[in-house]
Amino acid sequence: MKNIYDVAIVGAGPGGIATSCEAVLFGIKKIIVFEKGNNHSNTIRKYFKDNKPVDKDWKGIHVDLIGNINFEGGTKESTLDLFDDSLEKHLIEAKFNTEVSHVKRVDDHFEVVVTSGESYLSKNVVIAIGKMGKPNMPSYKIPLTLKKQINHTIIECKGNEDVLVVGGGDSACEYAYFICKDNNVTFNYRKEVITRAHPNNVDNLMKSAEEGKIELRMGVDIEKIEDENGKIKAYFTDGKIKLFDRAIYALGGVTPKEFLLNCSVQLDGEDNIILDEKNKNDKGLYVAGDIAGSIGGSIALALNHGYNIVTDLKEKLAV
């Protein structure tokens, strides 16, 4: 007979880490975490520039922490250290480089199936994946020959490049002013005013533009892009055409509906995840992190999700 875990957690970002650590602190013994990357917190590692400030009150919205993981903001590095420390102190079985294919209910428990074909049984399952695994793309076609130059993060920026940053949110603003010291940056947003980003990020962007470090192309859109001898040729709606070495599309992420349905997650008529105050989606099935929060990207909110879930599990498992 297979070992049956008390809780299986899909995703090792802040929501998954918080759930696993809180579970140990509440006396839940059989915990397993699945992460398709080779380490925890891959979104932070991949999408955040080194020494990037990480705020507890993300986008200026205050979140009161209710759990046992102390997080008061810091940098990318200190945030990763915090989660490393939490994992080292707690007995958690983690399976990295392991991607979950689907989760199905079997009688009074769940079967978690990974892409290698192996399956694991658990009384409860927490889906704690982020949206950034499936970034939004523009409506126009991206030439396959430009695949390496079209990015969603600044990780690939080499310096001394002409870089086009597209978007109007926090990530777009942050990316633009982080790389403008070493690159020629053009910031493009289809609207004339940025309303979705935190005021601090907008101020940093505008200050860099005033200093001549960033060219703003506001209130115009991109009609199409072409490959011109390995360069990105962008056609703007105001008639301007410009060449770039690299383009970064920071257009946010999409809730991976197909994956959620494969994991037995219940959605309402508008494809929103159904959740109660304890982050419960269905009996024994919970959702945490980016896809469960109204404040996408809030680490503090993801930590609270983990605490909410475990307090519910504690009563259910009678630990």
Side-chain angles (χ1 to χ4, degrees), residues 58-69:
W58 177 242
K59 296 185 179 179
I61 300 176
H62 180 69
V63 176
D64 290 317
L65 290 173
I66 58 177
N68 294 291
I69 296 180

Side-chain angles (χ1 to χ4, degrees), residues 110-137:
F110 294 89
E111 182 180 17
V112 181
V113 182
V114 300
T115 53
S116 64
E118 296 178 308
S119 62
Y120 302 80
L121 301 181
S122 181
K123 298 175 185 176
N124 304 279
V125 172
V126 179
I127 306 298
I129 61 173
K131 294 181 181 180
M132 292 304 291
K134 189 176 181 181
N136 280 323
M137 292 297 292

Side-chain angles (χ1 to χ4, degrees), residues 136-173:
N136 280 323
M137 292 297 292
S139 58
Y140 46 85
K141 187 177 180 181
I142 303 293
L144 292 177
T145 52
L146 294 175
K147 185 177 180 180
K148 290 184 178 180
Q149 293 103 302
I150 302 295
N151 309 133
H152 301 285
T153 75
I154 56 177
I155 301 298
E156 301 299 327
C157 288
K158 302 173 182 177
N160 297 316
E161 293 182 320
D162 291 315
V163 182
L164 170 66
V165 177
V166 183
D170 286 291
S171 293
C173 294

Side-chain angles (χ1 to χ4, degrees), residues 146 149 162 226-233 243-245:
L146 294 175
Q149 293 103 302
D162 291 315
E226 295 178 347
D227 182 344
E228 183 165 305
N229 300 318
K231 295 271 190 178
I232 299 168
K233 189 174 185 179
L243 293 176
F244 300 95
D245 299 302

Side-chain angles (χ1 to χ4, degrees), residues 120-314:
Y120 302 80
L121 301 181
S122 181
K123 298 175 185 176
N124 304 279
V125 172
V126 179
I127 306 298
I129 61 173
K131 294 181 181 180
M132 292 304 291
K134 189 176 181 181
N136 280 323
M137 292 297 292
S139 58
Y140 46 85
K141 187 177 180 181
I142 303 293
L144 292 177
T145 52
L146 294 175
K147 185 177 180 180
K148 290 184 178 180
Q149 293 103 302
I150 302 295
N151 309 133
H152 301 285
T153 75
I154 56 177
I155 301 298
E156 301 299 327
C157 288
K158 302 173 182 177
N160 297 316
E161 293 182 320
D162 291 315
V163 182
L164 170 66
V165 177
V166 183
D170 286 291
S171 293
C173 294
E174 290 177 349
Y175 291 163
Y177 69 73
F178 269 126
I179 65 173
C180 70
K181 297 177 183 178
D182 304 311
N183 299 273
N184 299 316
V185 177
T186 298
F187 182 92
N188 170 238
Y189 184 42
R190 60 187 177 83
K191 297 182 179 180
E192 294 184 356
V193 179
I194 299 173
T195 57
R196 295 191 294 115
H198 188 281
N200 290 345
N201 284 329
V202 177
D203 289 344
N204 287 332
L205 176 73
M206 294 305 171
K207 181 179 178 181
S208 297
E210 290 171 3
E211 294 173 351
K213 298 176 182 178
I214 296 176
E215 177 188 344
L216 296 179
R217 304 228 73 233
M218 307 287 290
V220 296
D221 210 342
I222 299 173
E223 292 182 332
K224 64 178 179 177
I225 62 171
E226 295 178 347
D227 182 344
E228 183 165 305
N229 300 318
K231 295 271 190 178
I232 299 168
K233 189 174 185 179
Y235 293 78
F236 294 90
T237 53
D238 62 356
K240 187 170 183 178
I241 301 172
K242 192 171 180 180
L243 293 176
F244 300 95
D245 299 302
R246 188 176 306 280
I248 300 170
Y249 287 90
L251 304 176
V254 180
T255 299
K257 176 183 175 181
E258 184 176 348
F259 179 77
L260 293 175
L261 293 176
N262 285 341
C263 290
S264 303
V265 174
Q266 303 296 311
L267 305 177
D268 64 17
E270 297 181 352
D271 292 337
N272 298 311
I273 299 171
I274 300 171
L275 291 176
D276 66 10
E277 68 279 359
K278 291 293 186 179
N279 284 72
K280 184 188 296 180
N281 173 259
D282 198 5
K283 183 180 179 181
L285 188 63
Y286 302 81
V287 180
D290 249 11
I291 58 171
S294 57
I295 314 172
S298 172
I299 294 175
L301 192 61
L303 300 185
N304 283 353
H305 291 169
Y307 181 80
N308 285 334
I309 290 168
V310 174
T311 54
D312 197 62
L313 289 177
K314 179 177 179 293

Side-chain angles (χ1 to χ4, degrees), residues 6-7 19-31 68 91 310 313-314 317-319:
D6 288 323
V7 58
T19 305
S20 59
C21 293
E22 296 284 7
V24 171
L25 291 172
F26 274 92
I28 298 172
K29 302 295 184 182
K30 298 179 180 179
I31 307 162
N68 294 291
L91 184 61
V310 174
L313 289 177
K314 179 177 179 293
L317 296 171
V319 295

